[in-house]
Amino acid sequence: MSHATGRVWSPVITPFSQDLAADTERFVAQCRWLLDADVGLAVFGTNSEANSLSVEEKIRLLDALIEAGIPAARLMPGTGACALPDTVAQTRHAVGKGVEGVLMLPPFYYKGVSDEGLFRYFSEVIERVGDDALRIYLYHIPPVSQVPLSLTLVERLLAAYPRNVVGVKDSSGDWANTRALIDNFAADGFQVYAGSEPFLLQTLRAGGAGCISATANVNPAPIARLARDWQAADADAQQAALIRTRKLFERFPMIPALKAVTARYSGVGQWARLRPPLVELDETQCQELFASLDEIGFDMPGLKHS
């Protein structure tokens, strides 16, 4: 099933003030800037430093977005946590706010867990939230979580909860796995998102839904354009340009790089700040990244005014 237009979501970076508290006002402004570029908001994702935020903080930030008039239908908050009650609390709250769906990590502390254990975890969350409006996008990110979600597990969850388990973000970096998810499940409307935009065009051509990507934080409009125009004559050239930009960021630790660049183009130095244990890029890294971006004429239009 090919999608007429693909969709792009950004795991929105979280701004921190000097005391390391989340800066709500700046967070809302950043989300508005992304929405203006036609990018959805996968707040509390990996690049949001979500696992450095408390459950209470994430609930408060989501409330702030809704209160500021950010449309709930453009939100896909990350709600997966190691502790089942934390996942249930965040998920129940998000569903109650009317979000498009939730992006759910597996419990990631224990390694080598069985498909049976993971099935029970997701099943418990779904049963305890107990809401037909719950739409889960599974989050497969084995390079970070070290807890993969197998095709067998996805198949079992879809059979048990076809109305609640509606998609997956595949951040394995393995095209064969993304392709298998699309080939096995997309025909029934299951939405398969690539974990980064280098895979966007092939995902859409294969019948996937789009991408949920770190660099949508900094290069949103061009990524969203390819998702919309993926059947255009210049789609391959658009894809090549996106890959070129992405590769510049991949030479550095991703979250510090996204924040350094956002600080530079917004003129707000505080954007560079991270919560420990993550640390900022050093001066040399910043100069190298900025020079390489200048070389390709990179810009973040409208960010200063947001």
Side-chain angles (χ1 to χ4, degrees):
M1 183 187 82
S2 271
H3 295 250
T5 61
R7 298 172 81 191
V8 177
W9 299 80
S10 171
V12 187
I13 51 175
T14 308
F16 295 113
S17 48
Q18 202 168 351
D19 63 357
L20 297 181
D23 182 335
T24 308
E25 199 176 325
R26 208 169 295 291
F27 187 58
V28 170
Q30 191 71 6
C31 286
R32 286 206 176 107
W33 179 74
L34 290 167
L35 284 179
D36 286 345
D38 198 21
V39 166
L41 309 170
V43 293
F44 321 137
T46 300
N47 294 279
S48 317
E49 299 171 73
N51 290 297
S52 301
L53 294 167
S54 70
V55 173
E56 293 75 19
E57 284 179 305
K58 285 181 268 195
I59 284 175
R60 199 160 61 241
L61 285 169
L62 188 65
D63 285 348
L65 292 178
I66 302 280
E67 282 161 22
I70 300 287
R74 302 301 302 279
L75 288 162
M76 188 196 292
T79 62
C82 287
L84 183 68
D86 287 351
T87 304
V88 172
Q90 292 176 84
T91 304
R92 187 181 283 141
H93 176 260
V95 174
K97 293 289 175 185
V99 299
E100 147 72 20
V102 297
L103 187 59
M104 198 174 289
L105 278 168
F108 49 83
Y109 179 77
Y110 297 107
K111 313 306 180 203
V113 293
S114 63
D115 277 3
E116 175 62 29
L118 291 171
F119 178 82
R120 289 185 196 180
Y121 171 87
F122 288 112
S123 174
E124 285 290 345
V125 173
I126 293 165
E127 299 289 351
R128 289 175 191 221
V129 171
D131 192 327
D132 283 343
L134 170 60
R135 292 161 56 85
I136 293 174
Y137 294 84
L138 302 167
Y139 191 1
H140 175 64
I141 182 166
V144 178
S145 69
Q146 301 292 305
V147 179
L149 306 177
S150 70
L151 294 174
T152 313
L153 173 65
V154 174
E155 186 174 24
R156 190 175 167 194
L157 285 167
L158 277 173
Y161 302 104
R163 293 208 305 197
N164 302 114
V165 179
V166 299
V168 64
K169 177 187 180 186
D170 184 6
S171 292
S172 63
D174 173 9
W175 170 246
N177 190 72
T178 309
R179 182 78 210 223
L181 285 162
I182 294 169
D183 290 348
N184 282 285
F185 309 120
D188 299 322
F190 186 73
Q191 297 174 52
V192 179
Y193 285 97
S196 65
E197 75 279 12
F199 294 104
L200 178 55
L201 189 54
Q202 59 200 113
T203 296
L204 290 167
R205 284 175 173 166
C211 71
I212 303 172
S213 174
T215 25
N217 272 292
V218 289
N219 198 29
I223 301 174
R225 181 186 162 214
L226 178 59
R228 281 193 309 274
D229 303 344
W230 64 275
Q231 296 177 79
D234 69 342
D236 288 291
Q238 287 188 53
Q239 180 65 79
L242 295 182
I243 290 170
R244 183 178 58 166
T245 303
R246 172 84 185 196
K247 281 187 166 159
L248 299 180
F249 282 88
E250 286 180 346
R251 287 161 38 201
F252 303 92
M254 183 58 78
I255 305 170
L258 296 173
K259 287 192 140 181
V261 167
T262 303
R264 185 197 196 198
Y265 288 88
S266 67
V268 179
Q270 130 183 348
W271 262 117
R273 192 176 288 118
L274 293 101
R275 259 196 191 169
L278 301 185
V279 297
E280 299 76 12
L281 296 187
D282 65 33
E283 195 51 48
T284 307
Q285 289 173 312
C286 283
Q287 284 169 2
E288 193 185 323
L289 175 57
F290 298 162
S292 64
L293 290 172
D294 289 346
E295 222 168 277
I296 62 164
F298 177 86
D299 195 14
M300 294 174 72
L303 187 66
K304 267 197 163 70
H305 313 297
S306 73

